[in-house]
Amino acid sequence: MKMNTDSQRSPGRPKQAEDNLPVQEIILQTAAKLFMEHGYEPVSLQQIAKACNVSKPSIYYHFTSKPELFKIAVTTMFKHVHQATSRLLREADNLETGLLHVAEARLANPHAEIETLLREAERYLSEKQIEEIRAAENKIYIELADYFKDAMDNNLLRSNNSMLLAQTFSTMMVIGNKEDTLRAHDSTLNLGKEIVEIFLRGTMVR
Amino acid sequence: MKMNTDSQRSPGRPKQAEDNLPVQEIILQTAAKLFMEHGYEPVSLQQIAKACNVSKPSIYYHFTSKPELFKIAVTTMFKHVHQATSRLLREADNLETGLLHVAEARLANPHAEIETLLREAERYLSEKQIEEIRAAENKIYIELADYFKDAMDNNLLRSNNSMLLAQTFSTMMVIGNKEDTLRAHDSTLNLGKEIVEIFLRGTMVR
């Protein structure tokens, strides 16, 4: 039985690794990390298997193919980013704190710029797989856009296209990919503060 | 005779194509476009040769290897971006117009986010080649940072780390990679205006 979403589990195979994550989850997290770091083509299933301490056949036991593993790994990663973003914004006392926490989380986990990654991977993926990845990413933008829309309704942010603000904010986080920039700011927290300040001054009602 | 920089030319071979660009230039521009669109590994020398309407051996006549072609193509592209940025900023009447023109030019020519591209390519490149690419990119940041430093000295921008502003501004241009976002804003000019407004409000003295 092959899995298609990360909520399904193969019956009778509750394999657990040292840290108690099911093997399937370990494969997904490791694959996402490697794909995000090196791109699609340079990462082999062999390499993912080795990094997970499993055999290549056991990757094929859980996932039908490399494109399918890529799609599930990336959409699962986006789902986690979406959940974390939603929680951080909801738990924060105000707009600035919420954005700071999101920025800090994003900058601490720099990942490939998704358009660049998808262009490299697209000849291996079906249209449907690309669509599913974009849909998962889009949920993060929608979450942020809703948050910005509320802030506009409360007269905190200037009226603007809330989706554009969501994409602008997310794009600004790509600066976390620059290791030199991160190093120059001691911590992701400091860099996050600078970026959020520019964004908020740029978008707030004065 | 192999070339190492794009200012050298092989003596006695002033090959010209239809649009009068030397073959070498055509190869560089085509290679840069393809690498920026699909990444390093997915683009073959065969494909570049075909797109240039030349043979694969004639690529090897001008460039020693694929990594070397990649390095020269990308650094040459950065050199052009640097020159265009410098000219657009110098010719503009004020800060806002300068940034608008730079934004418009960047958004009209979306290209791969460089960190993501380099991570995919790095296992094929020598440290020296990566260094040369980073140095070429860095000149663009330095140009922008100097411009922002002047604006700070003239009390137009708040005191800030000018290099961080340069990298933030450049990172914001990565939004041009999102075709949906471009389409939603009718033109790169409109999108550029929105992004520059957020950046300037975010960084200007009030």
Side-chain angles (χ1 to χ4, degrees):
Chain A
M1 179 184 176
K2 303 284 185 177
M3 71 165 265
N4 292 311
T5 77
D6 68 339
S7 60
Q8 294 175 348
R9 286 281 302 285
S10 306
R13 285 187 61 105
K15 261 198 197 173
Q16 302 282 320
E18 293 133 38
D19 52 358
N20 276 340
L21 275 178
V23 165
Q24 205 170 266
E25 267 305 308
I26 293 175
I27 295 172
L28 283 179
Q29 287 185 12
T30 306
K33 188 173 173 292
L34 289 170
F35 285 134
M36 285 291 150
E37 198 166 322
H38 305 291
Y40 178 89
E41 202 285 334
V43 176
S44 66
L45 290 187
Q46 189 59 56
Q47 191 182 347
I48 294 169
K50 201 178 162 195
C52 297
N53 213 9
V54 301
S55 66
K56 196 167 154 185
S58 60
I59 294 201
Y60 278 117
Y61 177 86
H62 292 286
F63 305 95
T64 54
S65 64
K66 184 177 168 187
E68 195 61 13
L69 171 58
F70 178 82
K71 184 207 76 182
I72 300 176
V74 175
T75 53
T76 303
M77 183 201 71
F78 280 143
K79 204 169 79 179
H80 292 157
V81 173
H82 176 223
Q83 286 165 346
T85 303
S86 171
R87 184 176 50 77
L88 290 171
L89 293 177
R90 208 172 43 236
E91 287 175 2
D93 292 336
N94 58 53
L95 182 64
E96 186 177 3
T97 312
L99 292 182
L100 267 176
H101 289 168
V102 171
E104 202 186 349
R106 294 269 191 105
L107 294 170
N109 296 291
H111 60 67
E113 197 270 316
I114 193 71
E115 296 300 324
T116 306
L117 179 67
L118 280 184
R119 267 185 253 151
E120 185 249 322
E122 74 183 342
R123 67 172 175 158
Y124 305 100
L125 303 175
S126 68
E127 274 187 36
K128 186 160 176 299
Q129 285 167 332
I130 294 180
E131 239 170 59
E132 288 180 53
I133 292 173
R134 289 201 186 281
E137 187 196 18
N138 212 36
K139 282 191 184 158
I140 305 172
Y141 295 134
I142 292 170
E143 183 78 32
L144 276 167
D146 285 349
Y147 189 69
F148 291 142
K149 185 72 178 55
D150 278 351
M152 288 175 206
D153 291 345
N154 290 320
N155 209 30
L156 288 169
L157 295 186
R158 284 183 293 124
S159 280
N160 207 324
N161 178 330
S162 58
M163 190 46 114
L164 176 69
L165 292 199
Q167 294 187 335
T168 301
F169 182 79
S170 288
T171 301
M172 289 170 92
M173 296 304 129
V174 174
I175 204 170
N177 282 348
K178 299 208 164 294
E179 283 169 33
D180 291 353
T181 310
L182 276 181
R183 266 201 300 278
H185 284 78
D186 302 340
S187 72
T188 52
L189 182 58
N190 284 339
L191 179 57
K193 273 186 188 155
E194 300 272 6
I195 303 290
V196 168
E197 185 179 5
I198 293 172
F199 178 80
L200 274 183
R201 279 182 176 251
T203 54
M204 276 178 91
V205 170
R206 291 189 185 173
Chain B
M1 178 184 176
K2 303 283 183 175
M3 72 165 262
N4 292 312
T5 79
D6 69 337
S7 61
Q8 294 175 350
R9 287 277 303 284
S10 306
R13 286 186 61 107
K15 261 200 197 171
Q16 302 282 318
E18 294 131 37
D19 53 358
N20 275 339
L21 274 179
V23 166
Q24 203 169 266
E25 266 306 307
I26 293 174
I27 296 172
L28 283 179
Q29 285 184 14
T30 307
K33 188 173 172 295
L34 288 171
F35 285 135
M36 285 291 150
E37 200 166 320
H38 304 291
Y40 178 88
E41 203 283 336
V43 176
S44 66
L45 290 186
Q46 190 59 55
Q47 191 182 347
I48 295 170
K50 202 179 160 194
C52 297
N53 213 10
V54 301
S55 66
K56 194 165 154 184
S58 60
I59 295 203
Y60 277 116
Y61 177 85
H62 292 286
F63 305 96
T64 53
S65 63
K66 184 177 168 187
E68 195 62 12
L69 171 58
F70 178 82
K71 183 207 76 183
I72 300 176
V74 174
T75 54
T76 304
M77 184 201 71
F78 279 141
K79 205 169 78 181
H80 292 157
V81 173
H82 177 222
Q83 286 164 348
T85 303
S86 171
R87 185 175 51 75
L88 291 171
L89 293 177
R90 209 173 40 236
E91 286 174 3
D93 292 336
N94 58 53
L95 182 65
E96 186 177 4
T97 313
L99 292 183
L100 266 175
H101 290 167
V102 172
E104 203 186 347
R106 295 269 191 104
L107 293 171
N109 297 290
H111 60 67
E113 197 269 316
I114 194 68
E115 295 301 322
T116 305
L117 179 67
L118 281 184
R119 266 185 256 152
E120 186 248 322
E122 74 182 344
R123 67 172 177 159
Y124 305 100
L125 303 174
S126 68
E127 273 187 37
K128 187 161 175 298
Q129 286 166 330
I130 294 180
E131 240 169 60
E132 288 180 52
I133 292 172
R134 290 202 185 278
E137 187 197 17
N138 213 37
K139 283 191 184 157
I140 305 172
Y141 295 134
I142 292 171
E143 183 79 33
L144 276 167
D146 285 348
Y147 189 69
F148 291 141
K149 184 72 178 57
D150 278 351
M152 286 175 209
D153 292 344
N154 290 319
N155 210 28
L156 288 168
L157 295 186
R158 284 182 293 124
S159 282
N160 207 325
N161 179 330
S162 59
M163 190 45 112
L164 177 68
L165 292 199
Q167 295 187 335
T168 301
F169 182 78
S170 289
T171 301
M172 289 170 92
M173 296 304 129
V174 174
I175 203 171
N177 282 349
K178 299 208 164 293
E179 284 169 34
D180 291 353
T181 309
L182 277 180
R183 266 201 302 277
H185 284 80
D186 301 341
S187 72
T188 52
L189 182 56
N190 284 339
L191 179 58
K193 273 185 187 155
E194 300 271 7
I195 303 289
V196 168
E197 186 179 5
I198 293 172
F199 178 80
L200 274 184
R201 280 182 175 249
T203 55
M204 278 177 89
V205 170
R206 295 195 182 168

